[in-house]
């Protein structure tokens, strides 16, 4: 365990730091869902988290650990999605300047939400400019600290508080499933779960179109792919991270994949039966159990529902 970038103690410390700022989100159940999956499903609903996704946990934990000097200078990140809003909101709460690097063609709603939290936005052209290089350049020029979306021990520790709360509130689970993009959520949750439920089987679920995680997991080497085309926009990552990958390889049982059609069905189930709005990426883990990928008979499965930020026009179109 010590070979990994994070330990259970890091998650406990992160949990103390974020409590008071992050919400302790509910664990919901549904007998219809249980009937469909053949086991007991415990949904950890991060669509009710502040700014609408678990990313607030990792961002707030990371920024809380800044030195006075780092706080005075500010934070920079690159993201068009939930991590941008998470950093922007955390920075506003902590009184830190935030600079967000976004693609020029990012959805207007996401740009507006990020600006609404008081962040400064720098646009780049995703087809001709390298965002990592731009991030490093802006950080160096302005003395800002770069907090990436997943490949950072403080981010991973914050995301791991999701599984810690789930198990503390709902009791031990036999399986735990989380959505998988770059692996911040899965790696953090895996460390927490291994400590609290040592025999639990842990799975990550990624979109079929972007199965780099599954391939990396089985080959033992980080595989990089082209940006996958999927409705799960929070999991359009090209590879796992150098910190997240070893944790996932060491603690996870397997990586599963689901199709966009299965994601849309799960989204509709959440709306119709459980009355909750879940974004496509947030449905990954649930879609895997609804479509019978695992034998759940007589078992309890923790399912991380990771977020609820979806444009309403797109949501309506997907439900149809
Ligand atoms: C970022 C994100 C994910 C993927 O998380 P990783 O830590 O990159 O694996 C899943 N769901 C939602 C809603 C997200 O915003």
């Amino acid at each position: 365990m010590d070979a990994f970038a994070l330990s259970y103690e890091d998650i406990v410390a992160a949990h103390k730091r974020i409590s008071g700022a992050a919400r302790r989100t509910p664990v919901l159940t549904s007998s219809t869902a249980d009937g469909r999956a053949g086991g007991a499903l415990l949904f950890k609903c991060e669509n009710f988290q502040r700014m609408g996704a678990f990313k607030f946990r990792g961002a707030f934990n990371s920024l809380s650990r800044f030195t006075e000097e780092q706080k005075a200078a500010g934070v920079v990140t690159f993201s068009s999605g939930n991590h941008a809003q998470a950093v922007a909101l955390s920075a506003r709460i902590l009184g830190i300047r935030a600079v967000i690097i976004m693609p020029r063609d990012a959805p207007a709603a996401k740009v507006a939400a990020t600006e609404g939290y008081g962040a400064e936005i720098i646009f780049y052209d995703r087809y001709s400019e390298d965002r990592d290089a731009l991030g490093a350049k802006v950080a160096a020029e302005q003395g800002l600290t770069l907090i990436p979306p997943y490949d950072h021990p403080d981010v991973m520790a914050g995301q791991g508080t999701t599984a810690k709360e789930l198990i503390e509130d709902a009791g031990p689970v036999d399986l735990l499933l989380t959505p998988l993009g770059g692996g911040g959520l899965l790696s953090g949750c895996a460390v927490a779960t291994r400590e609290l439920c040592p025999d639990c089987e842990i799975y990550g679920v990624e979109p079929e179109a972007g199965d780099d995680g599954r391939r990396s997991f089985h080959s033992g080497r980080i595989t990089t792919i082209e940006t996958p085309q999927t409705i799960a926009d929070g999991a359009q990552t090209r590879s796992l991270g150098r910190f997240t990958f070893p944790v996932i390889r060491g603690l996870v049982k397997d990586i599963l994949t689901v199709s966009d059609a299965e994601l849309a069905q799960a989204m509709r189930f959440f709306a119709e039966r459980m009355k909750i709005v879940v974004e496509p990426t947030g449905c990954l883990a649930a879609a895997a159990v609804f479509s019978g990928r695992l034998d759940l008979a007589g078992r309890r499965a923790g399912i991380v529902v990771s977020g609820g930020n979806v444009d309403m026009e797109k949501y309506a179109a997907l439900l149809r």
Side-chain angles (χ1 to χ4, degrees):
M1 188 76 76
D2 288 334
F4 295 151
L6 82 161
S7 67
Y8 182 65
E9 286 64 43
D10 297 325
I11 295 171
V12 173
H15 209 192
K16 291 206 181 92
R17 270 180 223 114
I18 70 167
S19 69
R23 288 201 189 112
R24 193 167 182 115
T25 53
V27 178
L28 300 185
T29 57
S30 152
S31 46
T32 312
D34 290 356
R36 188 171 290 205
L41 304 184
L42 305 149
F43 297 102
K44 175 65 171 168
C45 290
E46 287 293 296
N47 52 319
F48 294 125
Q49 187 51 264
R50 288 187 74 173
M51 54 61 57
F54 71 91
K55 291 255 180 18
F56 182 72
R57 297 173 182 268
F60 193 86
N61 183 50
S62 302
L63 270 60
S64 300
R65 297 204 63 195
F66 276 18
T67 62
E68 287 310 317
E69 204 178 328
Q70 286 176 305
K71 280 185 185 152
V75 61
V76 60
T77 195
F78 42 77
S79 162
S80 54
N82 288 330
H83 180 66
Q85 292 173 57
V87 167
L89 175 59
S90 300
R92 193 186 67 183
I93 294 169
L94 294 165
I96 296 172
R97 172 177 174 233
V99 175
I100 314 285
I101 297 171
M102 281 192 168
R104 211 177 301 282
D105 57 356
K110 298 229 159 145
V111 175
T114 308
E115 274 175 336
Y117 291 130
E120 297 159 43
I121 299 183
I122 296 179
F123 289 106
Y124 76 104
D125 178 0
R126 71 163 110 198
Y127 303 101
S128 68
E129 286 175 285
D130 175 14
R131 70 171 199 179
D132 297 76
L134 185 59
K137 178 165 164 273
V138 171
E141 277 172 3
Q142 306 192 27
L144 307 172
T145 303
L146 179 69
I147 296 295
Y150 52 88
D151 206 24
H152 188 296
D154 294 339
V155 173
M156 294 155 68
Q159 319 309 31
T161 62
T162 310
K164 180 174 182 283
E165 287 179 7
L166 196 177
I167 296 165
E168 284 173 354
D169 292 349
V173 288
D174 304 304
L175 304 94
L176 182 97
L177 292 93
T178 84
L180 172 62
L185 178 65
L186 179 59
S187 61
C189 286
V191 170
T193 303
R194 185 52 74 236
E195 174 77 20
L196 298 171
C197 297
D199 297 326
C200 179
E201 291 174 6
I202 303 163
Y203 297 89
V205 187
E206 63 186 352
E208 215 166 74
D211 69 340
D212 61 288
R214 192 179 59 79
R215 283 152 60 179
S216 305
F217 183 80
H218 290 288
S219 72
R221 291 195 1 255
I222 297 177
T223 304
T224 303
I225 58 169
E226 287 306 314
T227 302
Q229 295 303 314
T230 166
I231 58 171
D233 56 343
Q236 279 181 311
T237 41
R238 299 183 51 212
S239 73
L240 298 178
R242 69 193 167 101
F243 292 120
T244 62
F245 175 65
V247 180
I248 291 170
R249 189 109 207 286
L251 300 180
V252 166
K253 169 113 179 179
D254 206 356
I255 309 289
L256 312 174
T257 63
V258 297
S259 68
D260 279 4
E262 288 169 321
L263 288 176
Q265 276 165 22
M267 212 169 73
R268 190 186 175 99
F269 180 88
F270 281 128
E272 200 167 48
R273 299 298 180 134
M274 296 179 68
K275 321 300 173 195
I276 59 174
V277 175
V278 183
E279 64 182 276
T281 317
C283 294
L284 281 163
V289 300
F290 290 158
S291 44
R293 296 281 197 289
L294 299 167
D295 180 14
L296 297 187
R299 306 211 283 169
R300 287 162 52 83
I303 310 287
V304 175
V305 175
S306 55
N309 293 329
V310 52
D311 174 81
M312 277 302 124
E313 297 303 325
K314 188 174 155 197
Y315 186 69
L318 287 171
L319 289 186
R320 261 181 243 121

